[in-house]
């Protein structure tokens, strides 16, 4: 993997104040952070025009390390805070970094309603299939029969498909990739930020220290190799026979459509009401 240029490290990271980071050795959160800041550096967005918002969890520590405007908020509430920021200053690029537990359990309602409104937020959902920071409990994406500290005999619940959930709720840009696919992640982050509506990127990631150990996944390198070997780009899957696609996780842009964006609709409403004046 290419190293991060010094310029990006100096401009985009609080490298002299907040490092070393808290993530375990081998965690893929750092890889995802690298992909995000490379994407932003490539877009040449002024740091003052970016806001990164998070809730609670391992991946939600990310705003601590970036030198943008940042908000590190309550568990599950990142999208609610981000909605307030975006409505107040629609010109800002508002990025939410969140995990599977944070976004689809405690924050599930904020996720589906932001998608329904089509507010122009970029949600980067880092899915490691478990609550890492809080001790390895089952999350809504813990696979059926996988082990968690709250499911020592195997998870009896079915798991959420996050991209299907987002599309069902109305998200207008939805994509899936993995922490292994760094170039793909960079491209998707750029596209999602440029997309004028609610964007969600699900990034499959690894928690080798809790999920990996509990489920005997073979360590950080093996978990990354599994992301490579067990996934397929949508473009390739279309050309393969069904037996070669069965059981693979599909990567790529699953939806990209333009429909009215919430802040613009709201601004139009304010203009219309003000033009009419206050009615008795
Ligand atoms: Fe990463 Fe898991 Fe460690 Fe959290 S607990 S930092 S997700 S490896
Ligand atoms: Mg998680």
């Amino acid at each position: 993997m290419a190293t991060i240029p010094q310029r990006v490290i100096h401009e985009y990271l609080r490298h002299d104040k907040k490092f070393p980071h808290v993530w375990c050795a081998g965690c893929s959160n750092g890889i995802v952070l690298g992909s995000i800041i490379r994407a932003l550096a490539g877009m040449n967005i002024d740091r003052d025009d970016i806001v990164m918002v998070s809730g609670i969890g391992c991946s939600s520590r990310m705003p601590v390390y970036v030198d943008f405007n940042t908000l590190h908020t309550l568990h599950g509430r990142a999208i609610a805070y981000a909605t307030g920021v975006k409505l107040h200053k629609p010109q800002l690029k508002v990025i939410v970094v969140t995990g599977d537990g944070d976004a689809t359990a405690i924050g599930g309602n904020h996720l589906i309603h932001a998608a329904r409104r089509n507010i122009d937020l970029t949600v980067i959902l880092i899915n490691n299939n478990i609550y890492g920071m809080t001790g390895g409990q089952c999350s809504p994406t813990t696979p059926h029969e996988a082990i968690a500290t709250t499911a020592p005999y195997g998870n009896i619940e079915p798991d959420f498909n996050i991209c299907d959930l987002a599309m069902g709720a109305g998200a207008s840009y939805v994509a899936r990739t993995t922490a292994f696919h760094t170039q793909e992640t960079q491209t998707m982050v750029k596209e999602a930020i440029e997309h004028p509506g609610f964007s969600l990127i699900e990034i499959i990631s690894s928690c080798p220290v809790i999920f990996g150990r509990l489920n005997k996944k073979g360590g950080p390198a093996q978990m990354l190799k599994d992301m490579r070997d067990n996934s397929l780009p949508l473009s390739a899957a279309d050309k393969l026979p069904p037996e070669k696609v069965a059981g693979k996780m599909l990567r790529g842009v699953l939806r990209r459509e333009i429909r009215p964006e919430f802040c613009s609709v709201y601004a139009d409403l304010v203009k219309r009401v003000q033009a009419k004046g206050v009615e008795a």
Side-chain angles (χ1 to χ4, degrees):
M1 189 189 309
T3 52
I4 304 178
Q6 282 299 313
R7 177 184 70 79
V8 176
I9 292 171
H10 283 274
E11 287 181 17
Y12 285 68
L13 293 178
R14 293 174 176 144
H15 61 98
D16 51 346
K17 300 189 193 101
K18 296 294 179 187
F19 281 64
H21 56 70
V22 296
W23 296 319
C24 308
C27 177
S28 26
N29 285 336
I31 303 175
V32 176
L33 169 61
S35 297
I36 294 171
I37 64 168
R38 283 190 192 91
L40 290 167
M43 296 172 79
N44 257 327
I45 306 175
D46 192 301
R47 285 179 308 139
D48 289 341
D49 295 332
I50 306 169
V51 187
M52 186 179 275
V53 187
S54 72
I56 296 295
C58 293
S59 53
S60 293
R61 285 285 295 183
M62 200 174 286
V64 172
Y65 306 122
V66 293
D67 202 2
F68 311 135
N69 302 293
T70 55
L71 269 176
H72 191 186
T73 74
L74 302 174
H75 207 176
R77 310 299 174 215
I79 291 177
Y81 281 85
T83 297
V85 171
K86 185 70 184 180
L87 260 178
H88 181 59
K89 293 205 167 182
Q91 72 275 18
L92 295 174
K93 305 287 186 198
V94 182
I95 301 167
V96 174
V97 176
T98 181
D100 41 300
D102 191 59
T104 65
I106 190 167
N109 268 325
H110 299 302
L111 173 67
I112 59 175
H113 294 294
R116 176 176 62 87
R117 291 183 193 114
N118 198 34
I119 186 165
D120 185 12
L121 304 177
T122 298
V123 175
I124 299 174
L125 201 162
I126 301 175
N127 178 8
N128 61 5
N129 307 116
I130 204 152
Y131 281 90
M133 182 176 274
T134 53
Q137 297 91 344
C138 261
S139 86
T141 65
T142 302
H144 185 59
E145 297 185 344
I147 306 292
T149 53
T150 49
Y153 307 110
N155 178 23
I156 58 171
E157 297 181 10
D159 52 311
F160 258 152
N161 179 321
I162 288 176
C163 291
D164 283 355
L165 176 72
M167 288 191 286
S172 52
Y173 179 100
V174 177
R176 184 191 293 118
T177 185
T178 82
F180 177 86
H181 297 91
T182 55
Q183 294 292 334
E184 197 170 80
T185 303
Q186 273 176 242
T187 304
M188 286 175 182
V189 170
K190 178 174 182 292
E191 285 181 0
I193 289 170
E194 287 172 347
H195 178 78
F198 186 86
S199 315
L200 180 137
I201 308 169
E202 179 188 13
I203 304 178
I204 305 295
S205 75
S206 54
C207 167
V209 170
I210 300 186
F211 185 83
R213 273 191 189 152
L214 287 172
N215 290 282
K216 302 190 172 30
K217 292 290 183 186
Q222 186 57 48
M223 291 180 85
L224 284 166
K225 282 183 194 157
D226 288 346
M227 292 177 201
R228 178 193 64 189
D229 298 341
N230 298 336
S231 71
L232 278 176
L234 281 167
S235 52
D238 286 347
K239 296 177 195 114
L240 289 169
E243 63 274 16
K244 298 244 177 208
V245 179
K248 301 280 186 190
M249 190 247 304
L250 299 182
R251 309 186 326 267
V253 179
L254 299 156
R255 174 180 290 163
R256 189 190 331 237
E257 66 180 29
I258 299 297
R259 65 183 183 87
E261 191 277 325
F262 184 74
C263 295
S264 308
V265 174
Y266 183 74
D268 287 347
L269 174 71
V270 170
K271 261 192 226 151
R272 277 206 315 276
V273 172
Q274 286 178 339
K276 274 170 81 181
V278 179
E279 288 172 11

